[in-house]
Amino acid sequence: MTLAFLAQQTIERIPFDSPTIDWHAFAPEAILLAWTCLVVVVDMVGLERARRFMPGLTGVGFLLATIPVLTLWNDGATRSLFEGAYVVDRYALALKGLFLISGYVVVLLSTQYMADGDYYDSEYYILLASSVLGMTVMASARDLITIFVALELLSIPAYLLAAWRKRDLKSNEAGLKYMLMGIFASAIMLYGMSLLYGVAGDTRLSVIAEKLTSEGTKPLLTLAALFTIIGFAFKVSAVPFHTWAPDTYEGAPTPLTAFLAVASKAAGFVAMVTIITTAFPGQADVVEPFMWVLSALTMSIGNLIAMRQTNIVRMLAYSGVAQAGYIMAPLAVYSQTGQNGVSAASAIVNYLIIYSAMNLGAFAVVIAAARKTRSGEISSFGGMLNYAPGLTTAMTVFLFSLAGIPPMGGWLAKWQVFSVLLQSESTWGTTLALVAAVNTVLAAFYYLNVAKQMWFMPAPDGDTSRVRVPPSLVAALAITVIATLLSGVTGLVPDITDFGSIALGR
Amino acid sequence: MVDVIVFAVAGLIVLAGGLGVVLNSNPVRSALSLVASFFGVAVLFVLQEAHFLALVQIVVYAGAIVVLFLFVIMLLGVDEVEDLSIEPLSGQRIGGLLAGAALLVFLLGGLFLSGGDEGAVAVTGTESVTQPIDETQPNIDNLATDLFGRNVLAFEATALLLTIATVGAVVLVRNAGAEDLSVDEPGRADH
């Protein structure tokens, strides 16, 4: 019997319908993947000559992939691929847009930083693009396997990039800590997911939701739900799973820190929101109190530690922890508010968009300032008004926004979270809103402290030579300032409230 | 009845192997205990009629991956007994033990309390709800249909993931400080 004959036999025996793929729905990922391959080839052929075109080339890839996101958004139809395992709706599209634009801004932040240092920068951009690809897949994933693979695809490049300053021990520590903690979290999450699969017998979230609802609340389901959520809690650095964040943020190359603090965290939230609202609509009595405790702890402890920081990157790291607390707050009442958690999900997505703009902006200022001061201490920002008025104004916009002062975007984000919490008209929601309000006041203290340094304090050592801000950073600052102000002043955030029917499996 | 006995024996092997990994102070023995544990898991797969997975478990995990572990352990020269009497963080070991015990109670409690009457999620040793997808077809056919049908996206993403991990690992471990850097990569050393 020849091999060909055997193959013939097999082909006849297995009925196989190749899955129909809606290429328009899949276009953002397809373009980004193809472009990443192109960047790899250009790097391979051009070697050293191609090096300086890498950031531009990668940036163009992100922008090209945004085009189909816009056409799909205009189209407005909810598209479902792979028997409901991959759904492209407005919720997914808003997030894909967010990830691609954040990726573009991170490329802008990295351009000068990478060119100045002794790094392998072609590989840096390729890994960055792959990580963003993982995030865009995550936005659409409605299936445990796809979610897990997307999570690894976005995390593994990030682990590697955190250690990219190879000769710096702090960067090695950053990469190692991030990887070990990340793997630990993945293991816990996989255990939860395997329990979910064991109970439901299917990996699609919509099917799991049906099965879980008929099973009622069993201790096993509680375990499964909590373990799965804990995995993502590590990713978004929620207290008490946040310990890796400050060390990793401080040691990693600063543009990458911005990426971790914004895009990577947003992707973790996306997975959390998708799983909780889609797969656990019937487990609210278990998930909601858990999220309440997680959210209250995260915002309070994050803020308290942030106040004591003297290094700006560590302060932004802890402030990011605290912000994660506000972002996850709507999940503590998701079943009690409009349309089965859709309004909670919508508040979270809008918060993520505004948070990304203001936090990336703050990091852009830190990177620009560090080119002169060579220091990450908050005191080194003293007197910046005199020699860098533009940077000072931009930073003030971001800090006010992070603190939630109108008319900056951060205000709108917080307002949406508070309104969801209060809409629930439950004791849980109201008390969490109170905790968040107290924390907002606490947070204003350390955000405004940085602003005070910049506006009123003298420059350390009286050094008032100007800061040279490279054009790529100017572009990044322009994008983030405009996004922060525009969302706050006009209230312009994407409306994703038609996120529903298919995504929620009913 | 036979099922339950096989389940119990295989489960014991898995547990003993797992304990061996943690408790052995010699990393080589730990790796070998891992092999035992993997074999136990393979038997459990057979019990669930997932014959292909059982085979893969042995060929890939017990065969390839652990051998790789052993290579790494022996090449790095850490095949000696570590001094475990020093506790880097005081109270760490007690704390770890307590946390582990609490988790065990929590998990076992969860599993046993979930038994219920229909027994779908109880610990009985019977087949799980995820039986072979289609009894008339061999497992491997079903796996292939599933992998290249509904899960083809995750499958392709995994391919990318492995490539990325390799690229990153090579970049991170290559010795950039060496003088002869410019030999295989002209220009890099200039920066």
Side-chain angles (χ1 to χ4, degrees):
Chain A
M1 246 194 286
T2 59
L3 213 62
F5 177 73
L6 267 177
Q8 188 69 34
Q9 287 267 304
T10 322
I11 288 165
E12 276 165 14
R13 208 152 47 80
I14 306 175
F16 180 71
D17 307 310
S18 60
T20 45
I21 296 176
D22 178 351
W23 284 104
H24 188 197
F26 194 59
E29 288 83 358
I31 290 178
L32 192 56
L33 179 60
W35 199 266
T36 312
C37 295
L38 179 79
V39 176
V40 173
V41 172
V42 169
D43 176 41
M44 237 159 52
V45 175
L47 288 178
E48 211 44 40
R49 276 164 292 145
R51 204 167 165 232
R52 63 202 166 91
F53 302 113
M54 283 298 152
L57 205 57
T58 318
V60 170
F62 286 139
L63 293 184
L64 277 180
T66 322
I67 296 171
V69 173
L70 292 176
T71 59
L72 284 164
W73 179 276
N74 268 337
D75 182 43
T78 300
R79 293 150 187 266
S80 170
L81 284 80
F82 305 113
E83 298 165 38
Y86 199 81
V87 174
V88 179
D89 51 8
R90 290 222 156 145
Y91 165 76
L93 286 172
L95 289 163
K96 280 180 206 217
L98 166 68
F99 293 139
L100 290 167
I101 300 293
S102 310
Y104 179 65
V105 174
V106 171
V107 168
L108 289 178
L109 298 185
S110 312
T111 309
Q112 201 63 38
Y113 189 96
M114 283 291 144
D116 287 350
D118 180 14
Y119 303 111
Y120 289 97
D121 39 1
S122 308
E123 287 85 353
Y124 175 89
Y125 293 110
I126 294 162
L127 291 185
L128 192 67
S130 320
S131 186
V132 174
L133 180 64
M135 291 170 189
T136 51
V137 173
M138 178 69 96
S140 284
R142 300 289 184 278
D143 171 279
L144 291 181
I145 295 177
T146 319
I147 286 179
F148 178 70
V149 173
L151 186 76
E152 292 303 306
L153 185 57
L154 75 91
S155 303
I156 287 182
Y159 302 153
L160 294 162
L161 291 175
W164 216 245
R165 289 160 62 217
K166 275 165 66 171
R167 300 202 190 90
D168 189 329
L169 274 182
K170 272 200 167 166
S171 185
N172 297 353
E173 180 191 347
L176 192 66
K177 265 193 184 158
Y178 189 30
M179 189 190 77
L180 288 178
M181 282 307 188
I183 290 173
F184 186 47
S186 292
I188 294 178
M189 189 183 68
L190 269 184
Y191 188 62
M193 283 183 171
S194 65
L195 287 178
L196 277 182
Y197 176 65
V199 174
D202 201 294
T203 53
R204 276 167 296 176
L205 298 183
S206 50
V207 182
I208 291 176
E210 282 166 29
K211 291 274 167 59
L212 292 199
T213 314
S214 62
E215 289 278 337
T217 39
K218 282 186 175 156
L220 189 66
L221 297 183
T222 311
L223 280 182
L226 293 193
F227 276 29
T228 314
I229 296 170
I230 285 174
F232 296 116
F234 268 100
K235 202 77 216 156
V236 303
S237 60
V239 176
F241 314 111
H242 68 291
T243 42
W244 58 271
D247 292 330
T248 301
Y249 286 11
E250 197 188 352
T254 323
L256 190 85
T257 306
F259 182 69
L260 293 181
V262 172
S264 185
K265 182 175 282 191
F269 271 115
V270 172
M272 205 182 222
V273 171
T274 315
I275 286 201
I276 290 181
T277 55
T278 313
F280 302 147
Q283 297 344 94
D285 48 348
V286 173
V287 175
E288 284 186 346
F290 184 68
M291 292 313 293
W292 193 98
V293 174
L294 210 58
S295 164
L297 268 183
T298 304
M299 57 177 99
S300 310
I301 293 182
N303 271 327
L304 287 176
I305 307 180
M307 274 185 198
R308 304 187 51 84
Q309 300 302 316
T310 56
N311 180 305
I312 184 96
V313 177
R314 286 186 83 89
M315 188 211 90
L316 283 174
Y318 279 110
S319 110
V321 171
Q323 299 273 351
Y326 307 131
I327 301 177
M328 70 177 76
L331 288 177
V333 292
Y334 71 98
S335 71
Q336 302 157 36
T337 53
Q339 299 168 280
N340 291 308
V342 173
S343 53
S346 158
I348 291 174
V349 170
N350 289 335
Y351 203 120
L352 285 176
I353 291 171
I354 294 168
Y355 169 76
S356 304
M358 58 197 186
N359 222 27
L360 279 176
F363 274 107
V365 175
V366 171
I367 292 169
R371 287 171 58 77
K372 171 185 147 66
T373 60
R374 299 273 153 218
S375 150
E377 294 304 301
I378 292 175
S379 55
S380 72
F381 281 73
M384 205 170 263
L385 178 66
N386 299 320
Y387 62 89
L391 280 185
T392 310
T393 319
M395 189 63 166
T396 313
V397 169
F398 301 133
L399 289 169
F400 274 45
S401 182
L402 282 165
I405 297 169
M408 314 302 173
W411 161 78
L412 180 69
K414 285 221 169 63
W415 182 75
Q416 289 202 344
V417 166
F418 279 111
S419 73
V420 168
L421 286 175
L422 295 176
Q423 260 171 35
S424 71
E425 289 176 357
S426 62
T427 334
W428 289 102
T430 320
T431 44
L432 193 58
L434 275 177
V435 175
V438 171
N439 271 294
T440 307
V441 178
L442 284 180
F445 169 77
Y446 60 85
Y447 289 130
L448 298 185
N449 179 37
V450 179
K452 186 187 84 180
Q453 285 282 347
M454 298 179 89
W455 286 80
F456 302 119
M457 293 295 162
D461 314 330
D463 176 11
T464 53
S465 56
R466 299 190 72 80
V467 186
R468 270 186 49 249
V469 185
S472 57
L473 277 181
V474 174
L477 282 169
I479 295 174
T480 46
V481 166
I482 290 172
T484 309
L485 283 176
L486 202 66
S487 55
V489 174
T490 63
L492 203 66
V493 276
D495 178 24
I496 57 145
T497 38
D498 64 352
F499 159 56
S501 55
I502 289 186
L504 289 176
R506 47 181 102 81
Chain B
M1 191 58 210
V2 179
D3 277 3
V4 179
I5 294 170
V6 175
F7 175 81
V9 173
L12 275 180
I13 294 174
V14 173
L15 282 180
L19 281 176
V21 174
V22 184
L23 297 179
N24 265 318
S25 52
N26 184 328
V28 177
R29 288 192 189 165
S30 288
L32 291 175
S33 304
L34 197 60
V35 177
S37 179
F38 284 158
F39 268 102
V41 174
V43 174
L44 289 179
F45 274 135
V46 173
L47 200 62
Q48 299 289 337
E49 290 182 36
H51 300 116
F52 179 69
L53 284 184
L55 191 74
V56 169
Q57 175 79 16
I58 290 178
V59 172
V60 176
Y61 283 90
I65 291 184
V66 176
V67 170
L68 214 64
F69 279 3
L70 285 173
F71 268 136
V72 172
I73 291 169
M74 289 175 180
L75 280 178
L76 289 180
V78 287
D79 52 335
E80 58 214 46
V81 180
E82 296 226 2
D83 181 12
L84 292 178
S85 58
I86 309 158
E87 211 174 358
L89 219 66
S90 66
Q92 184 191 31
R93 223 159 274 171
I94 304 280
L97 267 179
L98 284 178
L103 189 64
L104 184 70
V105 170
F106 190 55
L107 283 177
L108 286 182
L111 286 171
F112 282 112
L113 287 177
S114 304
D117 21 274
E118 73 268 36
V121 284
V123 192
T124 56
T126 53
E127 282 192 8
S128 67
V129 282
T130 53
Q131 288 139 356
I133 310 163
D134 181 355
E135 297 281 0
T136 58
Q137 282 199 9
N139 270 306
I140 188 160
D141 290 6
N142 288 320
L143 262 177
T145 334
D146 216 36
L147 205 56
F148 293 101
R150 180 145 65 84
N151 289 313
V152 69
L153 182 69
F155 179 75
E156 294 297 339
T158 314
L160 179 67
L161 180 63
L162 293 176
T163 319
I164 291 298
T166 318
V167 170
V170 168
V171 172
L172 279 189
V173 299
R174 78 180 290 165
N175 189 0
E179 303 296 323
D180 59 351
L181 181 75
S182 51
V183 175
D184 64 325
E185 208 170 285
R188 284 273 202 229
D190 302 344
H191 294 276

